[in-house]
Amino acid sequence: MELRCWGGDWGLPSIHPDCLAVLAYGKFSRAPLKVHYVNNPWKSPTGNLPVLISEDTHVVKPDNILNFLRKRKYNADYDLTAKEGADTLAFIALLEEKLRPALLHTFWVDVENYCNLTRPWFAARIPFPLNLYLPGQMSRSALNHIVLTKGEPPIYSIKEVEGQLYRDAKECLNLLSYRLGTSEYFFGKMPTSLDAFVFGLLAPLYKAKLPSAHFQNHLTQLQNLCHFCDNILMQYFTQNSADSSASGYDMVDANLQKLTQLVNKESKLIEKMDDNLRNSPQHKSRGEVTSKMTPASNDVGSSQLWSP
């Protein structure tokens, strides 16, 4: 199974919340995912990231990807009770309603963050000329999502939405912090799909170097949520990052070695062609003609030099 997703930064395997949630769930459930960081949604058959490709099947959206993995016996929620399963669905719905809009606004609508962090990051990684268009399109999509989900009458403009948006998000963070308490994960000692979704949304907000950080500051005050993110990164992604770096260096060395061999081979081929050309009968006949004409040309040159 191949997973295509956005690349990582700030100490994260991916900076995209949905990609990060799927990556985390894959680690929790031990699914054999081959991860490819493409940084280009047009390389996805559906035009969306993340996308899971299994044979002729293409699955998009985190919910669908997690369900696909569960059907193949990669289930991180296997030990949950019926009540815990219901709580998981309720909390995920709460995250989508209260937390995601504020996260979209922080990264994609807030002018200072968008101009100084989000747009430069994506524009530097998306290939030209798509990098001139896609970041703006993603920003407009985020704004439309916020207005459609939060801009209910009598609230219509984004300025009127912002205040309520962040109040709801901070209440959601407080509730998550209270629910987590001193536990390592939300349902005991083993991570579940709820942990994957929470990690996917919180980790970029926690790790990004945001110029406008008022919402981020509220998260950093909730130490158990910060420890929750750090713990998942340390337990499930540190070794993976090291292996990825090592494999990356090995790939670079292998490519350099192949390039060197190719250059040497071409150099030998050129030398052989030169030798064949020098030894060819046509080249010899031209050499003889040139040698016969050389004295005459010298005489002409001398007479021209000494003529008045």
Side-chain angles (χ1 to χ4, degrees):
M1 292 182 290
E2 178 189 357
L3 179 67
R4 297 181 183 179
C5 57
W6 290 100
D9 202 354
W10 318 323
L12 301 175
S14 175
I15 70 162
H16 193 274
D18 291 345
C19 297
L20 202 54
V22 174
L23 287 170
Y25 186 85
K27 293 288 187 179
F28 299 161
S29 63
R30 299 182 180 180
L33 299 177
K34 295 181 180 179
V35 181
H36 291 161
Y37 298 101
V38 296
N39 289 329
N40 183 359
W42 285 21
K43 285 190 176 181
S44 165
T46 61
N48 295 296
L49 294 175
V51 57
L52 181 67
I53 303 174
S54 179
E55 297 178 351
D56 295 333
T57 304
H58 303 92
V59 188
V60 295
K61 296 183 179 180
D63 291 338
N64 297 334
I65 294 175
L66 267 59
N67 288 332
F68 183 86
L69 294 176
R70 291 190 188 103
K71 291 178 181 178
R72 279 150 183 78
K73 311 302 181 183
Y74 302 107
N75 189 359
D77 298 340
Y78 182 79
D79 294 328
L80 294 182
T81 65
K83 181 180 182 303
E84 290 172 338
D87 289 344
T88 297
L89 295 177
F91 270 102
I92 291 176
L94 181 69
L95 293 174
E96 292 297 320
E97 181 183 354
K98 302 293 186 181
L99 188 56
R100 184 179 291 273
L103 199 68
L104 289 174
H105 187 278
T106 298
F107 281 92
W108 291 101
V109 180
D110 184 286
V111 175
E112 191 173 357
N113 290 335
Y114 175 71
C115 293
N116 295 294
L117 178 70
T118 310
R119 182 179 178 84
W121 193 95
F122 281 90
R125 288 159 178 81
I126 298 173
F128 178 85
L130 295 179
N131 59 349
L132 303 177
Y133 168 73
L134 283 181
Q137 183 196 42
M138 296 166 74
S139 177
R140 290 188 294 272
S141 297
L143 179 59
N144 291 336
H145 178 87
I146 294 171
V147 172
L148 289 174
T149 56
K150 293 294 184 179
E152 299 177 358
I155 301 175
Y156 292 100
S157 69
I158 189 63
K159 289 295 182 182
E160 296 174 334
V161 171
E162 286 180 11
Q164 187 63 41
L165 189 77
Y166 284 110
R167 282 193 296 271
D168 291 344
K170 290 177 181 179
E171 289 178 2
C172 181
L173 290 180
N174 294 338
L175 181 60
L176 289 173
S177 178
Y178 177 79
R179 177 64 181 81
L180 180 63
T182 58
S183 301
E184 190 172 1
Y185 302 107
F186 282 92
F187 295 109
K189 296 183 179 180
M190 296 300 295
T192 64
S193 59
L194 177 59
D195 298 281
F197 277 103
V198 173
F199 173 73
L201 290 171
L202 294 189
L205 179 64
Y206 172 46
K207 291 293 186 178
K209 298 178 181 179
L210 296 170
S212 177
H214 60 93
F215 185 44
Q216 185 183 53
N217 292 336
H218 185 82
L219 173 61
T220 56
Q221 293 173 4
L222 304 173
Q223 291 298 317
N224 60 340
L225 292 181
C226 297
H227 176 72
F228 167 81
C229 295
D230 289 331
N231 181 56
I232 291 178
L233 287 171
M234 182 179 65
Q235 293 290 334
Y236 292 96
F237 291 103
T238 302
Q239 185 62 37
N240 179 67
S241 299
D243 293 343
S244 298
S245 300
S247 62
Y249 287 125
D250 293 341
M251 185 177 296
V252 171
D253 291 340
N255 290 337
L256 287 175
Q257 186 176 4
K258 290 180 180 179
L259 181 60
T260 303
Q261 293 174 353
L262 181 61
V263 170
N264 292 336
K265 186 176 180 180
E266 290 183 351
S267 298
K268 292 179 181 179
L269 181 61
I270 292 173
E271 291 177 359
K272 187 176 181 180
M273 292 175 63
D274 289 341
D275 293 338
N276 293 337
L277 182 61
R278 293 191 189 97
N279 296 329
S280 64
Q282 186 178 4
H283 181 76
K284 289 182 178 180
S285 62
R286 288 182 179 178
E288 292 175 357
V289 172
T290 304
S291 62
K292 291 179 180 179
M293 293 181 63
T294 301
S297 61
N298 288 339
D299 292 343
V300 172
S302 300
S303 62
Q304 288 178 350
L305 285 173
W306 291 101
S307 61

